[in-house]
Amino acid sequence: MATPTTAADPQPLGLRERKKRRTRDALVDAAHRLFLCHGYGRTTVDEIASEVEVSQRTFFRYFANKEEVALAVLAGAEEAFLECLRARPAGENPLEAMRGAVREVWQSVDRGEGTGPAALELFELIESTPTLLAAHLRHTIQQEVEVARILAEREGLDPAVDLRPRLLAAVFGTVVRISHLSYAAAPATDSHSMDGMLALIERHFDQLGPALAGSWR
Amino acid sequence: MATPTTAADPQPLGLRERKKRRTRDALVDAAHRLFLCHGYGRTTVDEIASEVEVSQRTFFRYFANKEEVALAVLAGAEEAFLECLRARPAGENPLEAMRGAVREVWQSVDRGEGTGPAALELFELIESTPTLLAAHLRHTIQQEVEVARILAEREGLDPAVDLRPRLLAAVFGTVVRISHLSYAAAPATDSHSMDGMLALIERHFDQLGPALAGSWR
DNA sequence: AACATTATGTCAGCTACTGACATTCGACAA
DNA sequence: TTGTCGAATGTCAGTAGCTGACATAATGTT
């Protein structure tokens, strides 16, 4: 019965891995607190590190740079989106699949998994911090490349030849981003929920056709 | 006749302004040479400054950061695009106006004004340098906001209410960016000219409708 | 020629980030 | 338990981007 190493049934994580995950989470947490409180620029890496009682050098072993710790939770959500998209039924066309995946992700956020409630504040922080915005946009287009890859595979296309996947992924990303913006910009009136966000995205998608059409009058 | 200050007929620029412009141009030039030769990351600001025989501090009086000197010529092209767009006849619809403005800018580049031939190499440098790419994307969306403002004004719309200008500007920016990418990625075969670039953009725009349509098969 | 403005140089300092090496801590076996 | 190995961490020194403060030099103005 008694295996020498503690059994690996529920979580095959050793003590070591758990500890690493703990300090990583603690760093992200402390960083967010400090960023939201004092601002990104006025928070030094040393402060974040000493908050978790870790050396600065260790911080940079977990995160390549200061931006990464700020965008960490977003990176998680992006990864979740990719997994949802890959798991969408093959019968759906590209647009349906992406809408479905976005819905899934926001609903899981709504249930409090992962990022939690600070998502909105985080968006504002990013938008108002040039460095963060730049890094975030770079991540976004990387995400779009991956999304295009998935879409092309679903449809059996070669992404080097057919540019529709890349194009659709980019347009979709744009719609989501603008939705985020007008969501955050809107006075915190009604429907500040995930349903509100999804409705916004749908609405913007509906405006896409008219926007591309010739005249607007 | 003899005005004390030299007359301001052809160029109202004083000696001071000319000198400033000269050193600024020299800095951009030296920076580009060094970046393309040794890479962005391996070029220090001190090297750029001493190349022009200027102190590092002076460099930072001309450019807020190292990225800015790399993206300077692009910023010029973006400004030119805005001016062209503002000058388009009011009869054109938004899409026509933007296509026309893009055509004008590329044609002026073709005539050797401003950026010149190094445009392609610069794009590759930006795409392959994470920091530069991030900064460039940030500039791009700022540009899109301004474009949306112009479009809204042309059509007499309130950009806070109607999101079509913002949406169209973003989609247009995306199409142009992807066109640049596939232009640079293509083997330097035929039509590596401004006409080729414009044709690419047109082609991608034609694919936009199909890409947004339901199924691709 | 004298003065006001403005660009530049110098210096000191902060912060992000990295390489190298020593140390400590968790994993695993005897 | 003990000992050994590898991984995580700490410490230290150093580079580079960037800024404020002040002195100096160049330019424009009267």
Side-chain angles (χ1 to χ4, degrees), chain A residues 75 80 116 147 159:
Chain A
V147 166

Side-chain angles (χ1 to χ4, degrees), chain A residues 66-94:
Chain A
K66 198 174 150 189
E67 294 132 34
E68 202 172 297
V69 70
L71 303 177
V73 297
L74 250 58
E78 286 166 9
E79 193 50 52
F81 176 82
L82 291 182
E83 283 181 32
C84 289
L85 183 59
R86 276 187 273 256
R88 293 306 290 187
E92 293 178 329
N93 70 40

Side-chain angles (χ1 to χ4, degrees), chain B residues 159-191:
Chain B
V161 177
D162 199 324
L163 286 157
R164 287 176 299 178
R166 192 84 178 70
L167 218 43
L168 180 58
V171 170
F172 190 86
T174 294
V175 169
V176 169
R177 179 182 146 70
I178 294 188
S179 299
H180 284 174
L181 276 179
S182 64
Y183 184 78
T189 165
D190 66 317
S191 69

Side-chain angles (χ1 to χ4, degrees), chain B residues 92-107:
Chain B
E92 293 180 326
N93 68 41
L95 200 52
E96 291 169 344
M98 296 181 85
R99 291 193 180 195
V102 136
R103 192 176 307 121
E104 283 187 54
V105 170
W106 275 106
Q107 283 170 350

Side-chain angles (χ1 to χ4, degrees), chain A residues 14-45:
Chain A
L15 204 163
R16 211 165 213 166
E17 294 302 316
R18 272 187 292 155
K19 208 169 179 179
K20 278 207 301 184
R21 181 177 287 269
R22 277 224 334 253
T23 57
R24 200 195 131 92
D25 291 351
L27 282 172
V28 171
D29 208 56
H32 277 198
R33 244 198 340 253
L34 292 169
F35 288 162
L36 290 176
C37 184
H38 305 137
Y40 179 80
R42 268 186 292 276
T43 304
T44 70
V45 173

